[in-house]
Structure formats: C-alpha cells, structure tokens
C-alpha cells in the first residue's frame, strides 16, 4: 500500500516504534497515539525527523481524544496494551480497562471516522495451556489461564464482531514473545542488567529449563505486512513465531559467551515463574509461512541483536 | 448441596426465576439481584412467599451495591445479561457493559466476599459459524460473529482467569435457546402474540427453514445441577442442548395445530433474520450426557409447554 496514513496506538513502544520506522521508510504517513505509560519517547527520535510523522499524546481510555486523533487515517494498528502478564492478579481491572475496553474504544473511534482496517497485536497466551503443541490458529477452543490472555481474547472477539456487524477488515496477530532492538523487558534485558551489576553471578527465575519461543522484531514486522498484503478475508488470524524454541539455559549460554562472562547461575527453582505464566507457548506458524514469509533470523540471532542494542544503549537499562 | 445460600444475578428473568423456584424447593436460601430492566417482578410472586428468599433490586454495573448484596452467600449464579443479540450493532456498548464489565464486577464482588463458586450462563453463539456441527466444547477456536457472542466469550475468559489466578471454581454453560414456562421472547412468543391478534395469517422472519435447537427450561436446570454436583474441575464447561433440532416450519405446524388454527404463512424471505444471527446452533452435548443427564422433554413438548404458559398467562403478552 502506498500513500497510506497509518494510526498506531502504542507507537512509542518496542514493536510500535519499530513499526513506525518501517512505515516511514516505505514513504507512508503515520500518526502515533501513545500515553507514554510504558512508551519511550527516545524511540521516536528518528521518526520525529520525518514530515510524515505526527505524535499525539493521549490515552486509549479517552474515547473523545482518540476519535479526534484518528481523523483522516486509513488503517489502524492497535498495539497499545497492558502487556505485563505477571501483575494480572494484583490489578485485575488493568487488563480489562487497558486491553478490552481500550480495544472497544479504538473500534468505536474507527467507526466514527469510517476507518475499516485494523491490525491487532494479540498473543499466544490466549491458547492457555494448549494440549496441541505446536499450537495452530484453529486449535481446540482454549481455556484462559491469565487475565492478560482473557483480555486479549475479549479484544479479538470484539474486532471479529465489528468485522461481521460493521464490515471491518481485520488482521489479528497472535505473537510469541518478540525480541530485538528496543525490547526493554524480558529475560535478555533482565540478565544483561544483572550481569552489568554483578558479572560473577546470575539469578534465574525457575529452573532454566523453561522452553521459550521468540521471534525477532523485524521478522515480526515483515510477517505483519505480508499478511496484510496477501490475506484478504474479513478476519485474518495469524500466529507469528518461528519453528524453533530454546530453553532459558541456551539463552544464558549465548549471552554469557557473547559477553565473555562465566557467572555462577543461581536458580530460584520450580517450573513456572509466576501465576498465569505459560510454561511453554509454541505456535504452529504454517499459515503465515504459506504466504511466502519466513523468519530471516534464528532465536539465537535475535537474542544477540537484543543484547547488542542494550550494550549500545545503556540508557535503556538505567531508566526510572 | 444442602444449606447453601445462593446469589442469582438476573434472578427475575426467565431462567433465573425458574432456578429460584427450584432452589427454594430444594430447601436452600437464595438472594435474587436484579435491576428489572428485563426481569419480570411477577415471576418472583411464588418465591416471595418463602422465608428463604430475599430480593435486592440492583444493577451489576454498581460494584458497591453488588458487593454488599452478596455478603454471606456461598455460590453465585451469574445470569444477568443483555441477551438481545439482534440489537448488538445498534448499541455496541450494551454488550460490553452489561455482559463483559458486569461479569468482571460479579467476579470482583465475589473476591471481596471470599466466594469462590460461580455458575455462568454462556451461549452457543460463542462458536460463531462453527464448521463442526454438532459443535463440541473443544471445537476449533471460533471466530465471533456477534457482539453478544464476543461479550459472552469475554465473560468466560474472565471467569477462567479468576479460576487460575484466584482459585475460583466455575461451571460455564453454553446454552442453545432455552424455552418453557415464563419465556417472554423468541419465536413461540412472537407467533402466539401474532395469532391472538390475527388468527388468519402469520408473518415469519426468514424462509422458515432456519434450523433451531431448543432445550426445555426444567431440563436445563436439571443439567446445571447435575454438572455442579458431578463435575469438579476448576473450570467445568458444558454445552446444554438436545440431540435434536427443528425447523421453524415444524414449530409453526405444532403451534397452529395446538391452537386449532390454519393461518396463511407469510415469509419475509432470506436465510437469516438479522446481522449476527447464527443460521444454526446445534451443540454436541455428549459431555453433559456422560454425567447421567438427559432431557426429559422433546423440543416439541417444550414448545407446547411454552405455548400453554402463554395461553394461561396472557398478561405476559400484554406487558409494555
């Protein structure tokens, strides 16, 4: 698509800001809508140099502000969300408000502005503890195991109902964990932060045998545009991941080797890190691959790129 | 369960009030919480004679009132809902508020009161347009086709997450259409109301070939208590329906024959009655049947009982 004006909620976040840079590099216009509760202003420094970029500070829970900000846009990427599954049971209303109700507001703002196209960042967490692994898009009807997963499921359902009832076209992406440049959370971030402080030991949540599937952020964005370009149903649902997975211990070895360190590894023990944490999300990605996409980076390469970004941008570690 | 104190949201409604009478007949206590937006006060006339019955007028969107009303209860039936799938696209916020957010409020009120047991009225609509018919509980991950279905899906997800995160135990029932005494909507109601007014003709939405699966309300309540008694997982999900279905035309014949009428049938045409209406919900009910339950009434018997109730209670037709 050329001459498209995109609207991105959560555009100052990890995936959002990478998407902004990609859209601008394609010569298209983009409005970022972000409340900076977790978004990082510096991630938009590059984008701000472009005349095709506009930043609007606002909250997805403010329907009026959201509706006005969206005027004149053609396509909405709804990425803003509470993505912290760990704190789900401490603040149960957070996922409901920031994920479910916010998604409703985005859909209503679109309807008000006669915008019909939406891409949505969902999650592999909505498969709960799937009995089918790798898990395909049409896996057996899942049971939710986290408030985060439940809120994303609710968001998907709303979008699907708007597609049926109001003629919207939707692309829904169920992500594994995404990593790469600008990822300011997760195990690579935590481990590197620890090792900068104390290179001689590393505290690891769980037993290190947790299996994790990751996708590198630029591969993720390639997949998103492949799906939007080539899949044209009213509702298009895609798992996004890779056909490999790693154990946390693999990642520890790659990180330590890349840093030239040999720390003592101190495990907290147990299989799970926290309530609602899925021991293993591993998605069947045949559907997106059938459109000609495949990841250009292995999980190992993604982890090293994440690490290199953090080494080059220590300010990200020192925030707050 | 004996000496149980039940709390029923929507207890003045069709299914709710029948459930209230059943609970009282079992010798248990019950508090009905209803805002009477669609609940019918007269449906509780019998219950009001019991000292074990208490009525609290209140809204599920009022979390404070809900929380106070629930004090001292052991088990919550959450039946209150916006059940009118037809108007989903006219008032998109209605399903979000009255179904999704209301369910969240019920769960939070339970948590506040340390009540851990909940039964929830979900719907076969959450299977969308299932490719698997009859549709089992573990059908392929569905795509929503109505705001009503999406809001019930969101409610299910919240309840499941509370089971995982807060140790709740939940029974989730995905109903086909329920009919029987006190059903103040649906095709039997509409047809009988028309035929009282003009016995010589009957206007029928669609082409009359729509297939419909119905369950008689007393059989539905039997199934609910069977599941609660015999299924003891943290999350227990059951389809409730029968292994038969009828066409609207079958029903027309039974109704007209029972009334001794021979009206001209005037079809509006088309396969569907309205946007978001599923042409056919037919559930695989092997799971609930495996617990020893089976319906005691055929669909035809349920239709005739519904009709007889309306004949004996014409005030229900004349309300509003």
């Amino acid at each position: 698509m050329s001459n498209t004006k995109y609207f991105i909620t959560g555009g100052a976040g990890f995936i959002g800001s990478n998407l902004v840079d990609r859209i601008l590099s394609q010569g298209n216009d983009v409005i970022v809508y972000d409340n900076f509760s977790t978004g990082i202003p510096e991630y938009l420094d590059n984008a701000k140099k472009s005349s095709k970029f506009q930043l609007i500070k606002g909250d997805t829970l403010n329907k009026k502000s959201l509706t006005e900000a969206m005027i004149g846009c053609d396509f909405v990427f709804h990425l803003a969300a509470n993505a912290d599954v760990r704190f789900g049971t401490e603040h149960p209303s957070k996922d409901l408000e920031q994920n479910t109700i916010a998604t409703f507001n985005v859909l209503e703002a679109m309807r008000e502005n006669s915008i019909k196209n939406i891409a949505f960042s969902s999650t592999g967490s909505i498969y709960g503890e799937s009995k089918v692994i790798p898990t395909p898009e049409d896996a057996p009807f899942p049971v939710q195991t986290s408030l985060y997963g439940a809120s994303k499921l609710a968001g998907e359902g709303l979008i699907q109902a708007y597609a049926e009832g109001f003629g919207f076209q939707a692309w829904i992406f169920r992500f594994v964990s995404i990593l790469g440049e600008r990822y300011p959370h997760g195990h690579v971030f935590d481990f590197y932060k620890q090792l900068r402080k104390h290179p001689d030991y590393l505290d690891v949540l769980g037993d290190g045998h947790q299996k994790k599937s990751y996708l590198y952020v630029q591969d993720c964005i390639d997949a998103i545009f492949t799906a939007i370009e080539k899949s044209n149903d009213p509702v298009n649902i895609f798992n996004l991941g890779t056909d490999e997975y790693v154990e946390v211990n693999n990642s520890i070895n790659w990180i330590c080797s890349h840093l030239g360190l040999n720390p003592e590894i101190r495990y907290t023990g147990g299989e799970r890190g926290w309530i609602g944490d899925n021991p293993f999300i591993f998605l069947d990605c045949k559907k997106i691959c059938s459109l000609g996409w495949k990841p250009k980076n292995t999980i190992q390469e993604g982890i090293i790129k994440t690490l290199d970004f953090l080494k080059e941008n220590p300010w990200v570690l020192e925030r707050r």
Side-chain angles (χ1 to χ4, degrees), chain A residues 304-320:
Chain A
I304 299 304
K305 287 184 177 187
T306 308
L307 191 59
D308 283 342
F309 169 79
L310 294 171
K311 280 173 70 180
E312 288 156 25
N313 295 277
W315 62 271
V316 174
L317 296 147
E318 287 151 11
R319 292 172 60 250
R320 285 169 227 183

Side-chain angles (χ1 to χ4, degrees), chain A residues 69-91:
Chain A
M70 219 179 258
I71 290 171
C73 290
D74 307 303
F75 195 111
V76 172
F77 282 99
H78 177 39
L79 306 182
N82 171 40
D84 198 346
V85 65
R86 280 177 299 181
F87 299 109
T89 56
E90 288 172 29
H91 310 285

